[in-house]
Amino acid sequence: MNQVSSGSGGKDAPPWKPGYFRRFPLLGISILLSAAVGIFGCLAVLSASDNLPVGTWSVQPSVYISIIITITNQLIPWALDEGVIIYWWRKVLHDKSSVKDLHRRWHQGDSFRASIFGLNRPTFAALAKSWVTIAVLANAPLIQQSSTVRFRTSTSNVNIVTDAAPVVPNGFTGFVSGRGHEPALLSPRFQEIATQYNNGSAISLNQTGCQGTCRSARLNAVGFQSTCNSTTYSFNLNPDGVETAQGYQVGPATTQGTKVFATSFDWLAEYPGVLNISVQYKNSPACDGNLQIRNCSLTLANVDYPVSVDGEKNTVALEGDTTIFDDFVRSIVDMEDALTPVTGPTTLGGLYLALHNQFNSDANMRFAGAVQYELLSTGALANRFVTPGSINYASSCMITFSDPMQELLAGAREMIFRTAIAAANGTNVQTMTANQTLQQTVYHSDYRYFAGAAAVSLVAILIVLGTFNGFWMIGRQVSMSPVEIAKAFGAPIFADLNSNLTASQIAKAARGQDLKYGVSPLQKLEMGPSSLMQEPTGGRHFN
C-alpha cells in the first residue's frame, strides 16, 4: 500500500517537549474560568436586582440569568472535551492499557450513556462525563427559580408637594337672584364639583412625592370652623279633640301635627361666610316627650385637614376615621362678598344650594282619627335615618329616628374640601409630611436555588479540571483526531511520517493523498488510497 512520506525526520523532526508552561492547556482552562465567571455573573445579576421594583430593568433579570447559564452550560462540556483528550493521552503514556481500556476511556468520556452503563468499571472520564451531564440538566431549572417577583410592603416618611385653595374664590360657587337674595343656580365649575360629590368620585390631586398610600398628612386649605349646641323641644301627639257647643273640635296634634324628623341647611346673604345646620328628631317611641334639637354653625376658615393620598392614582381623601372636629382651624376667612346683599355671583351661596338640595328633609306626623297616625315625608334623609324596626309603626306614634347631624357635617366638610382642591391655582403650594405605605412588585432573589445550581456547576468545573491533571507530562499538542490515533497505532499509510507530529502536521504532510475506506487489494476493510479501494457489497466476508 502506498505510504505518505514527509521531509520531517532526523534533526528536523519536532522534539518531545513536556513541561508546565509549554503544555499548559490554555484553551481548556480559559473555558473553565469563563464558566466560573458565568456562575458568579448570575450571582451578580441576582444581587443587583434583588428588591428592586419591577420595571427598573428594561430586560428582566431572569432573562439575563437564562442567557448566562445557557452559555455556561455550553462551556463546561466543551472544557470536558479538551480535558478528556489530555486524560486519554496521559493514561496511554503512563499506564499499561489494553485495547479495551483505550476504548473505554475514550467512550466513557465521550458518551453519557457509556459513562452510566460503564460504572462497573468506571474511569475518571466516566465520572466527569456523568457529573457534567447531570449538572447541565439540573442547574438551568434551579437557577431559573432563583429570580422571581413578589409583593413588598414598605413604610417611610415622605414629603408631598401639592396645592389647595386657602379661600374660596370670590363668586366661585353660584348665583344669587331676586329680592330675597336666594341662591338660584350653581356655577358651571361648581356644578362639576357637586356632581362628583353626588357620584362619590375620587378627588384628583396634583402632587409629587407620594408613590404609594400616604397617610397622617395635613393639608392646608379652606374649610369650616364648626360650633354646635343641643337642646330639646316638647311635643305631644296624643289626640286632643273636645266636644263643644259648636261640635267636636280638634287640637294641634290633629291639625298641624309635629315634625318628628327635620334636617335643613340655611344661609343668608347678609352673612355670606356662614352656613347653619339644624336637625330635630324624635328618638322615643312615646306619643309625647321631647324632640332632640341640634344646631351647628359653620364659618369659612383656613384649616389643616387630615388627609390620605393615593400616589398611584394621584387622588386625595379625607382620613376615613376623622370628622370636621379633627380639622385644625388656623384662622377665620374674611369674605369678599359685600355686606349689602346683591344679586349675581356668590362665594358660598352655591355650596349652600347644593347641600340644601342634597340633605334637606322632613317627616311630619299627625293624628288622623280612625286611621290613627299619618306620616308624610320629603327628602331622602327621613327614610335613611328612621330607626330599623320602628317603621312598622308608621300608623302609630311609636316611630323613631336617629341623629343625622354627623352626616350633614361630613357632607358640608367634604363639599368644601372638594372645592378647595378644585379651586387650587398655584398660590398655596405646600409640602406635607406623610407616612407612606408602598406596595410594589419587586424582583426577589432566592439564593437557595442559586446555591444549588452553583454547587453542581462548580463541582462539575472542579471535576473537569481534574481531567487536565498531568498535562505537563505530554510532549506535544495532542488530540483525538483519527489521523493522530492512526499514526500512534503505526498505520502503514503514515509509516514514513515522523512519529511526533501533531494531527494538523500529519494532515498537512498527507494533503496530497486521497484516501477512502473500503476493500483493499488484500481483501481487507481498511483506509487506503482511493484509487485502490473498492466499496464493500452486502453479504461479503473480508479478511
Side-chain angles (χ1 to χ4, degrees):
M1 184 176 293
N2 292 347
Q3 296 176 343
V4 177
S5 62
S6 171
S8 299
K11 63 179 181 179
D12 296 329
W16 182 262
K17 291 183 177 182
Y20 287 95
F21 297 104
R22 288 193 184 100
R23 297 300 159 221
F24 185 78
L26 181 60
L27 176 60
I29 299 302
S30 298
I31 295 171
L32 285 179
L33 288 176
S34 298
V37 169
I39 298 300
F40 289 103
C42 292
L43 177 61
V45 172
L46 291 173
S47 299
S49 64
D50 194 22
N51 282 324
L52 289 182
V54 171
T56 55
W57 287 50
S58 57
V59 178
Q60 290 191 6
S62 58
V63 175
Y64 287 113
I65 290 173
S66 178
I67 293 172
I68 294 172
I69 201 64
T70 299
I71 295 174
T72 300
N73 284 344
Q74 295 297 316
L75 293 175
I76 298 176
W78 182 12
L80 177 61
D81 291 341
E82 297 294 318
V84 167
I85 293 172
I86 293 175
Y87 168 79
W88 190 90
W89 282 96
R90 181 179 59 81
K91 298 294 285 184
V92 169
L93 275 171
H94 294 278
D95 294 346
K96 291 190 296 184
S97 305
S98 65
V99 173
K100 188 175 183 180
D101 291 335
L102 299 179
H103 173 73
R104 185 173 64 253
R105 291 170 192 152
W106 164 78
H107 199 204
Q108 291 181 352
D110 182 69
S111 167
F112 175 67
R113 180 177 178 273
S115 68
I116 295 298
F117 286 99
L119 291 178
N120 57 331
R121 293 193 63 187
T123 64
F124 190 77
L127 171 64
K129 184 65 177 181
S130 58
W131 187 266
V132 166
T133 303
I134 292 171
V136 168
L137 293 174
N139 63 6
L142 279 174
I143 208 163
Q144 284 293 323
Q145 292 298 317
S146 64
S147 180
T148 56
V149 296
R150 69 176 181 179
F151 285 103
R152 179 188 67 182
T153 300
S154 61
T155 59
S156 62
N157 289 328
V158 295
N159 291 325
I160 304 173
V161 179
T162 188
D163 186 21
V167 297
V168 180
N170 190 34
F172 184 78
T173 64
F175 300 91
V176 169
S177 177
R179 289 188 176 89
H181 305 292
E182 288 290 329
L185 294 172
L186 306 183
S187 68
R189 183 67 187 92
F190 187 74
Q191 177 63 60
E192 295 179 12
I193 298 172
T195 300
Q196 291 170 357
Y197 169 80
N198 292 334
N199 293 336
S201 302
I203 305 172
S204 298
L205 180 71
N206 292 322
Q207 62 88 24
T208 57
C210 179
Q211 296 177 325
T213 300
C214 299
R215 304 191 64 181
S216 302
R218 284 277 178 173
L219 177 65
N220 176 254
V222 64
F224 286 123
Q225 180 187 59
S226 56
T227 304
C228 298
N229 61 72
S230 301
T231 185
T232 60
Y233 180 77
S234 63
F235 76 98
N236 189 340
L237 285 170
N238 290 307
D240 54 358
V242 294
E243 289 288 348
T244 66
Q246 289 78 27
Y248 188 80
Q249 300 293 318
V250 295
T254 302
T255 54
Q256 289 88 24
T258 297
K259 284 190 176 182
V260 291
F261 180 88
T263 59
S264 67
F265 276 90
D266 296 290
W267 174 82
L268 294 174
E270 291 84 352
Y271 303 98
V274 178
L275 287 179
N276 292 304
I277 307 176
S278 299
V279 303
Q280 72 178 46
Y281 58 96
K282 175 179 176 289
N283 65 346
S284 168
C287 292
D288 56 56
N290 291 318
L291 297 173
Q292 303 300 311
I293 308 296
R294 296 193 64 191
N295 298 291
C296 288
S297 177
L298 305 182
T299 305
L300 272 183
N302 184 264
V303 305
D304 290 338
Y305 292 100
V307 298
S308 61
V309 177
D310 187 330
E312 293 183 357
K313 298 178 181 178
N314 282 326
T315 59
V316 64
L318 296 164
E319 286 280 15
D321 55 353
T322 63
T323 68
I324 196 169
F325 301 105
D326 296 304
D327 301 340
F328 176 76
V329 178
R330 291 192 179 190
S331 61
I332 300 302
V333 172
D334 293 330
M335 292 295 297
E336 295 184 15
D337 288 9
L339 295 178
T340 302
V342 295
T343 58
T346 174
T347 302
L348 198 59
L351 189 141
Y352 150 74
L353 181 59
L355 293 171
H356 171 91
N357 294 338
Q358 180 74 16
F359 291 106
N360 279 31
S361 178
D362 65 59
N364 191 78
M365 177 172 280
R366 72 182 184 92
F367 183 72
V371 295
Q372 296 295 308
Y373 287 89
E374 175 186 75
L375 181 68
L376 300 176
S377 67
T378 61
L381 258 63
N383 287 277
R384 289 176 50 193
F385 283 89
V386 65
T387 305
S390 71
I391 195 170
N392 296 326
Y393 303 102
S395 59
S396 76
C397 60
M398 295 181 65
I399 193 168
T400 59
F401 296 85
S402 58
D403 184 3
M405 178 57 82
Q406 287 303 320
E407 179 155 335
L408 273 66
L409 288 172
R413 181 191 187 210
E414 181 176 339
M415 193 76 81
I416 191 66
F417 178 71
R418 286 176 175 270
T419 302
I421 300 300
N425 58 8
T427 60
N428 193 32
V429 176
Q430 56 192 285
T431 300
M432 304 183 294
T433 299
N435 182 264
Q436 176 178 257
T437 300
L438 189 60
Q439 288 189 332
Q440 291 179 304
T441 304
V442 298
Y443 297 115
H444 172 62
S445 298
D446 193 329
Y447 295 100
R448 297 173 301 172
Y449 288 105
F450 168 77
V456 296
S457 297
L458 291 175
V459 170
I461 290 173
L462 291 175
I463 292 176
V464 171
L465 185 63
T467 63
F468 291 93
N469 183 42
F471 67 85
W472 57 89
M473 302 176 184
I474 302 172
R476 71 165 186 271
Q477 181 181 347
V478 292
S479 71
M480 298 303 290
S481 169
V483 296
E484 186 170 1
I485 299 300
K487 183 72 179 70
F489 274 97
I493 194 171
F494 299 131
D496 290 341
L497 294 180
N498 185 275
S499 61
N500 197 33
L501 296 180
T502 65
S504 59
Q505 290 171 335
I506 296 171
K508 182 178 181 181
R511 63 182 179 272
Q513 182 71 52
D514 293 330
L515 301 178
K516 182 178 180 181
Y517 182 77
V519 183
S520 71
L522 298 178
Q523 301 302 303
K524 293 181 178 181
L525 283 173
E526 58 185 354
M527 191 77 71
S530 59
S531 60
L532 300 178
M533 309 306 288
Q534 297 179 352
E535 290 188 10
T537 57
R540 184 178 174 182
H541 296 277
F542 303 97
N543 295 330

